Amino acid sequence: MRVFLPVACSAALLTAVPAIAQDIAIPGGSIVLDEIVVSASPSDGEATDSDIAYQSLSPTSARTREELAATGQTGSVSEILQSMPGVIAPSSADDPATSVNIRGLQDFGRVNVMIDGARQNFQRSGHASDGSFYFDQEMMKAVEVERGPGATVGGSGAIGGVVQITTIDADDVLRDDENIGGRIKVEGQGNGLGAMAHVEAATRISEAFDILAAGTFRQVDDYTTGGGEKVNSAQTMVSGLLKARVRVAEGHETTLSAMRLYDTFDNGISTVRTTTSIDDTFTVAHHWDPADNDLINLNARAYYTGTTLDQEDQNGWSVGAKRTFEIGTYGTDAVNVARFDAFGFDHTTRVGGELFYDHVQTRDENDLANNSTPPGERTVYAAFVEHTLERGWFEVVGGLRLDGYHLTGEDRVNDVDVEKNGSRISPKITVGVTPIEPLTIYVGYSEGYRSPSLTETLVQGFHPPPATFAFLPNPNLVPETAHNLEGGVTLRFDDVVRANDRLRLKGSVFQNRVDDYIELECSPFPLPGACTYDNIAEAKIEGIELEGTYDAGRVFAGLTATFLRSEDLREGDTLASVPPSRLSATLGFRAFHDRLDAGGRVTFVGAKEDAEDAGLVGDAYQLVDLFANWRIDDNTSASLTLNNIFDVDYTQYLNLEASPGFNAKFAFVRRFGANTQ
């Protein structure tokens, strides 16, 4: 009874949703154990536990490294992100980069991914996603996803949502009474045979200074699908992270971080290319939070992110030809959070802004890649104010955001220089009520603004043989504008079946109308045909997201579900980027004085009936995973994860290759620490 009650409650929620759920989509599942870090505004410096996460007036989810390890979700970045509702992470087997799709929106900055607050704006056009990032999941401390148009830091262009990844620091290695320590993790897997070694070392010289250094080496072979087909997915990856924190005065903390990832792999379909990618992220951030002044809680940051991807053709029609993609982003942002009481209400005001500059360089001996991923420059800026007014059971959040951009490049088809700019003010309003303590209801409206990317504006040239056709630039593109209407409800129950158990449920319904939605349009005439990016009059995406957890100590359960439906209001078709329905349920237990976490997860993915029209695979499938994590002692743990135990042959929607079949993964972790003072 204890186990099945939360599942039954979640099922009741599912059956109560409107008929829209019959057509729409659901991302992967995970549970919430103990405490997680959640901030409705990334980079605010605010953190709350899971109870407050289920009270927040926004569709926000978060996962920590400890929670993911306990539920066997320590795989790829894609697997981690898909543990949250509303999110899928399309990937290409022959490229370890990750793309993010939130509520059916992806590519060209519609979803903003930040690592320690630094934007990851790498993009190259091909047969896979137009926007991705490289990251070593072993460096992840926590990940937070805010769905819907971003309203504060990181919101520029993010009409789909914001992903904030935080990297590990000295506190993840050292305990309070230690000043030196380390952590070692080794891992092996059977499908895509390979191994990984990860090392962390940290020292706390005093309360004023600590430093962490971490490194990873990973090498894996090609994986095999459930149908027995071997897929090109081998890679060798080396990554390193150096992070230092300095506290020169009370209330002040400065963090400096440098991370580099080096990857080698073979990439391509008809033409296979030996590929090397180098990805850098450098940040300097300062947090000022004086204990005696509630009007100051300032976070300011400057950063650089850069990706250089070198390729050399190994076969096809241009053996030996080389090409290079270089995308660099320089950025800065700042936000201050002021809190005060006035007129019987609690007030919180966020004021801030952000600015980033993209510089794209592409070189190709065949003069092709520099056309499909054209060089150029783009500057994007924003300023925002958001105010929260709260009193007892009533809360209102209102805000305004100014976004603008300036883009320059070359239209070589018409032999003209292109210069584009624009700006817009976007409002936000959310009202929440808690009529009785276990129940919170909210409704909100927000808008977002995304400027066209360099590729969308300036793509040109010809597709390489054997399918040769033209790409035409479109300097007349106008920015996308999102209008998002959302409603949600959260339920929080304690002592449901037994003392100290907890049941948490959260659901949201949304409709996002995007004016001037930009999509690649191809026409067969005049022969041999041509493709260009164009504005669709209006696109509509609507859906339902559910998330629930139950924790009774010895048993735990979780459920996440997403249903999406879309329409191109000009043509009446659905949008190819919107995935099918997805539901994931987790059931587990703890034993041996809570040293063992074990359980299973079942994932159901619905069919996408019109997938073939877009050249994609949209078949329905079901997956079963098992996991076990054993804490041998306070410093040592071992885990075993069995993914796709029935060796199902399937292809995740938006992926070009079939996904892995059965895979067994084993990991061993050892931590050590001491106080040498």
Side-chain angles (χ1 to χ4, degrees):
M1 177 63 180
R2 299 172 185 169
V3 175
F4 293 110
L5 178 61
V7 177
C9 292
S10 300
L13 270 178
L14 283 169
T15 57
V17 298
I20 181 177
Q22 298 174 7
D23 306 80
I24 22 189
I26 289 186
S30 173
I31 65 168
V32 176
L33 302 176
D34 302 322
E35 294 188 350
I36 59 175
V37 177
V38 171
S39 161
S41 299
S43 308
D44 274 353
E46 297 181 338
T48 67
D49 63 17
S50 58
D51 276 348
I52 297 180
Y54 274 92
Q55 296 180 47
S56 65
L57 306 185
S58 66
T60 304
S61 300
R63 304 287 184 265
T64 66
R65 180 164 75 169
E66 291 76 13
E67 176 198 340
L68 292 167
T71 54
Q73 293 175 311
T74 57
S76 66
V77 179
S78 298
E79 178 185 333
I80 292 170
L81 291 172
Q82 289 175 167
S83 71
M84 305 185 202
V87 184
I88 66 167
S91 60
S92 179
D94 60 356
D95 188 338
T98 301
S99 301
V100 184
N101 179 306
I102 298 180
R103 294 179 167 180
L105 293 171
Q106 69 176 74
D107 293 340
F108 300 121
R110 292 185 179 102
V111 173
N112 174 29
V113 177
M114 299 187 292
I115 298 176
D116 288 335
R119 282 179 172 263
Q120 307 297 305
N121 284 358
F122 177 69
Q123 178 268 319
R124 68 182 178 103
S125 293
H127 293 279
S129 299
D130 289 293
S132 58
F133 69 103
Y134 294 89
F135 181 69
D136 172 17
Q137 60 266 28
E138 298 302 325
M139 303 297 184
M140 181 184 291
K141 176 189 183 81
V143 57
E144 175 183 323
V145 174
E146 182 180 3
R147 301 179 290 277
T152 57
V153 171
S156 290
I159 62 174
V162 178
V163 177
Q164 167 76 330
I165 296 174
T166 305
T167 59
I168 54 177
D169 53 43
D171 292 341
D172 296 295
V173 179
L174 304 175
R175 293 176 180 152
D176 292 341
D177 59 346
E178 297 172 344
N179 67 348
I180 189 170
R183 181 177 178 270
I184 300 173
K185 178 180 179 180
V186 293
E187 181 181 272
Q189 67 177 36
N191 191 356
L193 186 64
M196 183 275 298
H198 174 75
V199 178
E200 302 166 7
T203 182
R204 186 182 291 125
I205 296 176
S206 67
E207 289 298 321
F209 180 76
D210 61 51
I211 188 168
L212 170 133
T216 304
F217 174 81
R218 183 189 305 274
Q219 189 169 44
V220 295
D221 204 349
D222 299 336
Y223 69 72
T224 302
T225 69
E229 177 188 359
K230 182 162 285 190
V231 176
N232 177 25
S233 59
Q235 66 154 314
T236 299
M237 185 272 292
V238 179
S239 72
L241 170 66
L242 186 65
K243 181 181 282 190
R245 294 183 298 184
V246 183
R247 305 171 185 87
V248 295
E250 184 177 355
H252 291 269
E253 179 177 286
T254 301
T255 302
L256 299 96
S257 176
M259 183 169 60
R260 166 164 283 195
L261 187 147
Y262 175 89
D263 229 320
T264 59
F265 50 93
D266 289 338
N267 171 254
I269 303 174
S270 59
T271 299
V272 177
R273 300 177 176 93
T274 298
T275 305
T276 299
S277 69
I278 299 176
D279 191 270
D280 292 317
T281 301
F282 303 107
T283 65
V284 54
H286 186 75
H287 183 206
W288 180 25
D289 185 13
D292 59 350
N293 191 341
D294 290 338
L295 298 180
I296 299 176
N297 186 344
L298 175 67
N299 281 277
R301 173 177 32 247
Y303 62 84
Y304 167 78
T305 61
T307 300
T308 300
L309 190 142
D310 294 313
Q311 295 188 313
E312 181 175 349
D313 295 3
Q314 298 300 305
N315 67 352
W317 63 280
S318 56
V319 175
K322 297 180 180 180
R323 64 183 190 177
T324 298
F325 303 84
E326 292 183 6
I327 290 86
T329 301
Y330 302 82
T332 183
D333 60 64
V335 58
N336 183 69
V337 182
R339 294 178 173 84
F340 58 94
D341 298 332
F343 307 108
F345 290 89
D346 297 329
H347 300 261
T348 302
T349 302
R350 293 178 175 85
V351 179
E354 58 183 317
L355 170 72
F356 68 87
Y357 163 78
D358 287 333
H359 181 68
V360 180
Q361 289 183 301
T362 312
R363 297 179 294 276
D364 188 346
E365 294 178 356
N366 291 321
D367 201 30
L368 293 171
N370 51 323
N371 290 323
S372 60
T373 306
E377 300 175 349
R378 182 179 66 144
T379 300
V380 177
Y381 59 89
F384 56 84
V385 58
E386 182 181 89
H387 187 78
T388 302
L389 184 148
E390 186 176 4
R391 181 174 181 177
W393 55 272
F394 178 73
E395 182 175 354
V396 178
V397 182
L400 291 174
R401 179 183 182 89
L402 169 66
D403 286 291
Y405 78 100
H406 181 260
L407 178 152
T408 59
E410 183 182 0
D411 176 357
R412 293 197 301 275
V413 173
N414 300 299
D415 194 25
V416 295
D417 292 331
V418 174
E419 184 172 354
K420 296 278 294 180
N421 57 72
S423 63
R424 187 181 191 275
I425 294 177
S426 302
K428 169 188 176 178
I429 182 72
T430 302
V431 178
V433 296
T434 305
I436 55 175
E437 181 50 38
L439 172 67
T440 298
I441 302 170
Y442 71 88
V443 62
Y445 174 78
S446 61
E447 295 182 1
Y449 178 82
R450 185 188 75 89
S451 62
S453 69
L454 285 162
T455 294
E456 291 169 309
T457 306
L458 300 173
V459 63
Q460 52 202 279
F462 289 87
H463 189 281
T468 302
F469 53 88
F471 289 100
L472 300 177
N474 186 359
N476 297 318
L477 282 176
V478 298
E480 297 173 341
T481 304
H483 308 266
N484 189 70
L485 180 63
E486 184 138 8
V489 58
T490 67
L491 295 167
R492 306 166 302 279
F493 297 102
D494 296 325
D495 306 322
V496 180
V497 178
R498 53 172 294 175
N500 300 319
D501 68 354
R502 304 191 312 167
L503 174 65
R504 303 290 184 261
L505 298 170
K506 187 171 186 176
S508 60
V509 179
F510 74 92
Q511 182 186 85
N512 193 1
R513 287 179 174 262
V514 183
D515 292 338
D516 300 311
Y517 184 82
I518 300 173
E519 194 165 58
L520 186 65
E521 298 280 281
C522 296
S523 172
F525 300 103
L527 295 174
C531 295
T532 187
Y533 285 95
D534 201 0
N535 291 104
I536 297 175
E538 188 176 30
K540 180 176 69 174
I541 304 174
E542 54 192 6
I544 301 167
E545 296 163 343
L546 302 173
E547 188 169 17
T549 67
Y550 176 74
D551 197 326
R554 290 189 178 182
V555 297
F556 55 86
L559 179 139
T560 58
T562 308
F563 308 92
L564 299 175
R565 183 170 66 192
S566 67
E567 185 179 1
D568 171 355
L569 297 179
R570 184 185 64 181
E571 303 291 343
D573 300 326
T574 62
L575 300 179
S577 62
V578 175
S581 302
R582 185 180 180 106
L583 181 149
S584 187
T586 301
L587 181 64
F589 67 92
R590 301 185 183 96
F592 304 106
H593 304 286
D594 291 340
R595 292 200 175 274
L596 173 67
D597 299 307
R601 181 167 38 255
V602 181
T603 301
F604 300 91
V605 177
K608 178 84 169 179
E609 295 181 357
D610 53 355
E612 291 187 8
D613 297 339
L616 297 166
V617 177
D619 297 336
Y621 58 88
Q622 300 81 42
L623 302 175
V624 178
D625 305 323
L626 300 177
F627 60 86
N629 185 62
W630 172 254
R631 289 178 289 278
I632 300 170
D633 57 40
D634 290 343
N635 294 308
T636 311
S637 65
S639 63
L640 176 65
T641 305
L642 304 177
N643 291 323
N644 192 4
I645 64 171
F646 294 113
D647 204 24
V648 175
D649 188 14
Y650 73 101
T651 301
Q652 177 175 302
Y653 186 68
L654 296 179
N655 287 7
L656 298 179
E657 304 92 353
S659 302
F662 171 71
N663 185 27
K665 184 183 297 183
F666 174 80
F668 178 83
V669 179
R670 174 68 180 177
R671 195 205 72 90
F672 59 90
N675 191 332
T676 61
Q677 296 178 344

